[in-house]
C-alpha cells in the first residue's frame, strides 16, 4: 500500500473514535514531524484560531485541495414551533458553510488515490 494512502487511513475515524479531535491531530504531528507535544498542540491551536479569526472578520478561508469555509448571511424568516405550531420569527444571522474541493470529493469517493493518481 502507498505510504501516503496508509498515512491517510490513520486519520480516518474508527468505530472507537467517531471523530478526529484536536488532540489526535496534535499527536499525529508529534509522531510524524518530530515536534514535541507542546509544539504540536500549539500548532493545531494556532491553525484553528487563525481560521476562526478570519471567519469572525467576515472573510472566507480557502484551503487548496481541501475546500472553502464561507460566511453566508441568512435573512430573517418566519419559523414555526414544531410542538405548538406557533409562528416564531427567526432573526437574521451569519452562518459558516463548507464546500469540499473537487480533489477532496474525488479522494473520498475513491476516484483518486491519496498521491493524486487516478484509480
Amino acid at each position: 500500500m502507498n505510504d501516503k494512502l496508509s498515512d491517510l487511513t490513520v486519520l480516518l475515524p474508527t468505530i472507537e473514535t467517531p471523530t478526529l479531535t484536536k488532540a489526535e491531530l496534535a499527536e499525529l504531528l508529534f509522531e510524524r514531524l518530530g515536534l514535541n507535544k507542546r509544539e504540536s498542540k500549539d500548532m493545531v491551536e494556532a491553525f484553528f484560531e487563525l481560521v476562526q479569526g478570519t471567519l469572525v472578520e467576515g472573510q472566507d478561508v480557502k484551503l487548496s485541495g481541501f475546500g472553502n469555509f464561507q460566511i453566508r448571511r441568512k435573512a430573517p424568516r418566519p419559523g414555526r414551533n414544531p410542538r405548538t405550531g406557533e409562528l416564531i420569527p427567526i432573526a437574521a444571522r451569519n452562518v459558516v458553510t463548507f464546500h469540499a474541493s473537487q480533489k477532496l470529493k474525488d479522494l473520498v469517493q475513491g476516484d483518486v488515490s491519496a498521491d493524486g493518481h487516478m484509480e
Side-chain angles (χ1 to χ4, degrees):
M1 184 180 268
N2 181 315
D3 283 341
K4 286 183 180 180
L5 188 56
S6 63
D7 286 349
L8 242 183
T9 56
V10 173
L11 290 175
L12 297 176
T14 63
I15 292 174
E16 295 82 36
T17 55
T19 59
L20 179 62
T21 66
K22 287 190 210 180
E24 290 169 331
L25 284 172
E27 184 67 25
L28 289 168
L29 286 174
F30 167 71
E31 292 171 2
R32 294 188 187 170
L33 299 180
L35 300 175
N36 70 42
K37 289 193 178 204
R38 184 69 188 159
E39 289 171 331
S40 298
K41 183 177 182 275
D42 289 347
M43 186 177 285
V44 170
E45 287 297 329
F47 172 77
F48 284 105
E49 285 173 10
L50 182 63
V51 170
Q52 288 171 350
T54 303
L55 291 169
V56 167
E57 291 173 1
Q59 298 175 13
D60 295 345
V61 175
K62 298 177 187 228
L63 301 173
S64 180
F66 186 73
N68 300 323
F69 293 92
Q70 298 171 317
I71 298 293
R72 200 176 109 213
R73 181 79 179 157
K74 292 190 87 172
R77 59 188 170 82
R80 190 174 298 275
N81 181 328
R83 280 193 181 161
T84 64
E86 175 187 5
L87 284 175
I88 300 172
I90 299 174
R93 65 194 188 281
N94 290 329
V95 295
V96 177
T97 61
F98 175 75
H99 297 279
S101 71
Q102 191 61 50
K103 188 175 184 179
L104 178 59
K105 289 177 184 178
D106 290 344
L107 188 62
V108 168
Q109 287 300 315
D111 296 339
V112 177
S113 65
D115 60 6
H117 293 98
M118 296 299 278
E119 294 289 311

